[in-house]
Each structure stands twice: as C-alpha cells, then as structure tokens.
Amino acid sequence: MLRRIHGGVSWIDSEKFLDFSVNVNPFGPPKEIVEKLYYCINNKAYKFYSDPNYRLLHKTLSEAYDIDEKNLVHTAGASEALFLIIKCLISRGFRNVFLLSPTYGEPEIKALAKELGARASFILMGEAQDKFYIDLDSLIDNMKDIKNTFLIISNPNNPTGIYIDQDNIKAIAESLEGRGFLIIDEAYSELSRKRGGLDLLNYYDNLIVVRTLTKLFATPGLRTGFLASRNKRLIECLEALRPTWNIDSISSCVFSGRPLRDKEWFKKFISDTSGKIKALREDLENGLKKIGFKVFRSEANFILSKIIINYNPEEFYRKLYLKNIVVRNCDSFKGLDPRYFRVGVKDCSSNKVLLETIKEVIKE
Ligand SMILES: Cc1ncc(COP(=O)(O)O)c(C=O)c1O
C-alpha cells in the first residue's frame, strides 16, 4: 500500500512536542484570520454547502494575487491542485511525468501516474558543498526528445530550499513549448523573499503555477489554494475534474472577502512575515553550522541539514523525540538518506531550544 510520509505532528500531540518537521508560517495564523474563522463558525457556515461556483472566494483570490478570474481554479490546498493537474494532463495524453528531486510528494505522484498509465521519472539535483543546485542544460537535455511530457518543480524547493530564478524558469518553459508543460509548485513562495512565477503566466501557454494559503497562514486544516494558467483548454479540463464542493464551507468563508480582500493588509502581512523568517533562518543556519552539521543554503522557511559528525542518525531522531522535539528525517526523499534532516524555522526561543537540545543529544 502507498505510504504517505510527511512532516507535522497531529494537533492531539501539539502541546507535547516542539514540532520542527512542519513548514508552515512559524508565527501561526494572524489574528485577522482567526477572527474571521470565529465569525464563520458563529454564523454556522458549516451548516451550509459552499457556493458550488465559489464566486466570492474566486474573486477574492484573483484580486489578492492579480490573476484574471478565468485563469484560476481554486483547490483544497496545493496538494489537490497537483493531483488535478496530473490527472488532467495524463488524461490528455501527457504520459511522461518528470519531477525535479528530491522534492515534495514523490511517492504519491509516482503512484498516481502509474495508476493512470503514465510514468514518473526523477531528475536529481546536484549537491554542492553548501547548496543543492540544478544543471539547467542537463535538465533540459534529459527531457529533450520526449513528447507529451510535463515537469513538476517545487520552488522554493521542499526539502532542499533552493530557488530557481525566473530566467531559468523561462528557459525550461520555452524548452517544453509545443510538447509539454511546466508546473511550478510555489507553496512556500510568500514565505520566502523571492519572486514567484505568477507574472510569467501571460507569456507561456504551457506554464501552470500552484499556490496555497495553508503555509502562509499556518492553516493546513483550512484546505485552500489554487492553480493558475492562461491555457483556456487546460482550465476547462481542470474545472471539469474539480469535485463540486472541493473546499469546505468554513475554509471558503474564512478566505472569501476580508481580510484577504484588503490588498494593503495582505501585501504588508507577506512582506513582514517573510522578512522576519529570513532573519530567523539565518540565525538557525549559523547555529546548526556551529554544531558541526552541514547546512544547505535555503531561500525558504525551512532548512535542510546533514549530520556529518560521527553520530548515528536514528539515535539522533530517537533522542530528540524523547526530549519532545520532532525534526523531519529526509530519508524518504529521492537521493537523500537518514543523515539529512529538515527543520522548519520557528520563533527565536524555539529555535534556541532546538539548538541547545541538539547539543545535549550529541554529547550523550
Ligand atoms: C512543496 C509543497 N507543495 C505542496 C504541499 C501541500 O500543501 P497544501 O497544504 O496546500 O496541500 C506541501 C506540503 O508540505 C509542500 O511542501
């Protein structure tokens, strides 16, 4: 059976553990979103079906992100967007799926492609001294003679934290023109300070961008995200595959209208949050390096690190767990092994606790 391995302890255990295995906004949902949630509950939104066309949610998302309404499909988070895209493209004959690995969702995407009669292949990033990287020429070369194909890139990438800039994204999209699609999963875009791919959409028919609100607002339980493309035929296919009430009425109530519709608030929130995260990430990177771990340069709200001291990784995870700290063992990702672990950046005092606890553990 397909085993889905992801970070994040359940809410039942959340009081007990300091959870670094999850990558959501470390400051939690902003008060404006929490207030809206109470409003939706007090007005008993859960007693009703969502509007099957999600008119207000659709309008709100398209205004907040400056995307033409007709180019947007709202989804239950980025994961549903990815599943819908894969189903749609395979059903339209695009049977060669490529992933830039290590990356999010490898086993699920492989299983889904196989089930639908397609093939998933993994192109591995290179590992340099202080970062993972892509070799653009060989990436493009790998897919050169393959027709009916599509490539999924998570940008910034989970778990390596690398960011592929717009010029490279353009080169990849252009290399696939006429025979394939490029899907950029930008689940962490708002939490990094890097430019996403939404403003490229107008130039490429074969480009699809995926976004989510679950990471930005630290609300993975309110499953809301979207995908965007200017390709009319593709949007029709995705809308046809989208289940009628794919987003529950509480989530769609929270993210429809205010506060998301307040553009100034939204912009400021993203800018403040990503700025704070960058500073915290740099401190945490330095702390991990001082301990003697390898740290890969990240542009996101998480860090990939590697145990290069003489210490058994399984013991490392077990001992941290006994001290109520959870980090993400990355051995389930292609090309990584148990020495690689990922930590989501948290607030300053939690990050300190992590570093102190790691020091204690490796002394034992
Ligand atoms: C790169 C990436 N894409 C998508 C997702 C899923 O996000 P969502 O909660 O919006 O489904 C994750 C979650 O970990 C992720 O890391």
Side-chain angles (χ1 to χ4, degrees):
M1 190 158 101
L2 170 63
R3 239 185 110 222
R4 298 170 200 252
I5 304 170
H6 291 277
V9 301
S10 115
W11 63 270
I12 300 165
D13 293 325
S14 63
E15 294 289 302
K16 183 175 167 201
F17 289 102
L18 206 43
D19 183 13
F20 287 88
S21 70
V22 75
N23 291 333
V24 298
N25 179 347
F27 310 111
K31 76 171 189 337
E32 290 84 351
I33 293 289
V34 176
E35 279 165 14
K36 184 70 183 285
L37 175 61
Y38 282 121
Y39 167 86
C40 299
I41 293 170
N42 291 337
N43 283 283
K44 302 190 172 50
Y46 51 82
K47 282 178 67 185
F48 301 90
Y49 280 99
S50 306
D51 165 11
N53 296 303
Y54 292 85
R55 280 163 299 187
L56 186 54
L57 178 68
H58 209 84
K59 196 171 176 45
T60 308
L61 292 173
S62 82
E63 283 176 5
Y65 284 89
D66 267 329
I67 302 164
D68 198 316
E69 277 197 59
K70 66 177 188 320
N71 294 340
L72 186 146
V73 179
H74 52 268
T75 57
S79 35
E80 188 185 44
L82 291 170
F83 270 61
L84 288 179
I85 294 165
I86 293 165
K87 283 185 193 162
C88 165
L89 290 178
I90 295 177
S91 77
R92 294 180 60 207
F94 293 84
R95 291 181 181 274
N96 297 295
V97 187
F98 283 94
L99 271 84
L100 185 58
S101 285
T103 198
Y104 168 78
E106 289 160 352
E108 288 96 333
I109 293 173
K110 186 176 175 190
L112 178 62
K114 185 167 171 231
E115 200 54 44
L116 298 175
R119 206 175 99 93
S121 311
F122 303 91
I123 301 174
L124 284 182
M125 297 173 192
E127 178 181 337
Q129 187 50 31
D130 65 342
K131 67 172 172 54
F132 275 77
Y133 65 93
I134 63 156
D135 175 344
L136 187 67
D137 293 338
S138 80
L139 173 71
I140 290 176
D141 216 47
N142 255 295
M143 301 180 294
K144 194 174 68 191
D145 298 320
I146 304 175
K147 289 208 179 79
N148 300 326
T149 187
F150 62 99
L151 168 69
I152 304 175
I153 292 179
S154 124
N155 200 29
N157 175 266
N158 172 11
T160 61
I162 70 161
Y163 166 77
I164 301 174
D165 67 25
Q166 280 209 343
D167 285 345
N168 285 345
I169 291 291
K170 284 185 204 165
I172 300 168
E174 276 158 28
S175 77
L176 289 169
E177 250 164 4
R179 63 188 172 89
F181 285 83
L182 171 61
I183 294 104
I184 331 174
D185 171 3
E186 298 187 335
Y188 299 101
S189 191
E190 293 88 351
L191 298 176
S192 83
R193 282 180 94 72
K194 294 291 181 185
R195 196 162 165 196
L198 287 173
D199 47 354
L200 295 179
L201 285 176
N202 282 338
Y203 303 97
Y204 299 99
D205 248 356
N206 65 339
L207 184 64
I208 311 171
V209 174
V210 171
R211 290 282 181 108
T212 183
L213 302 182
T214 64
K215 310 285 182 193
L216 172 63
F217 290 128
T219 50
L222 300 173
R223 312 279 316 135
T224 307
F226 65 89
L227 61 89
S229 165
R230 74 158 190 190
N231 187 318
K232 201 166 164 255
R233 180 67 197 90
L234 189 79
I235 294 287
E236 274 168 16
C237 166
L238 292 160
E239 259 304 328
L241 289 174
R242 176 180 74 77
T244 303
W245 290 288
N246 60 328
I247 303 181
D248 67 89
S249 56
I250 290 286
S251 306
S252 67
C253 169
V254 172
F255 298 119
S256 295
R258 291 179 84 78
L260 219 61
R261 216 159 173 198
D262 181 343
K263 270 200 148 178
E264 283 310 304
W265 174 82
F266 189 48
K267 253 172 91 175
K268 186 170 181 322
F269 177 70
I270 291 174
S271 164
D272 291 353
T273 308
S274 56
K276 285 190 279 183
I277 287 173
K278 184 168 185 281
L280 289 164
R281 184 187 68 224
E282 285 165 1
D283 287 348
L284 190 53
E285 280 171 348
N286 289 335
L288 288 165
K289 275 185 206 157
K290 274 193 197 139
I291 291 174
F293 290 161
K294 186 163 171 176
V295 173
F296 299 96
R297 208 187 308 147
S298 169
E299 298 293 350
N301 55 312
F302 48 82
I303 300 167
L304 182 68
S305 187
K306 185 177 178 185
I307 304 169
I308 49 172
I309 55 171
N310 186 18
Y311 201 90
N312 179 331
E314 304 299 347
E315 274 297 285
F316 175 70
Y317 299 121
R318 195 181 66 83
K319 287 195 171 158
L320 279 181
Y321 189 85
L322 291 176
K323 293 178 187 288
N324 299 332
I325 289 195
V326 185
V327 300
R328 173 74 154 90
N329 172 351
C330 287
D331 68 345
S332 61
F333 288 94
K334 288 264 175 258
L336 305 186
D337 61 47
R339 289 171 302 164
Y340 296 80
F341 67 96
R342 190 194 66 207
V343 288
V345 173
K346 284 192 168 299
D347 60 277
C348 188
S349 67
S350 304
N351 294 343
K352 275 194 185 133
V353 173
L354 173 70
L355 293 172
E356 289 312 312
T357 314
I358 291 179
K359 282 183 207 157
E360 276 171 35
V361 160
I362 59 176
K363 259 197 231 135
E364 281 171 16

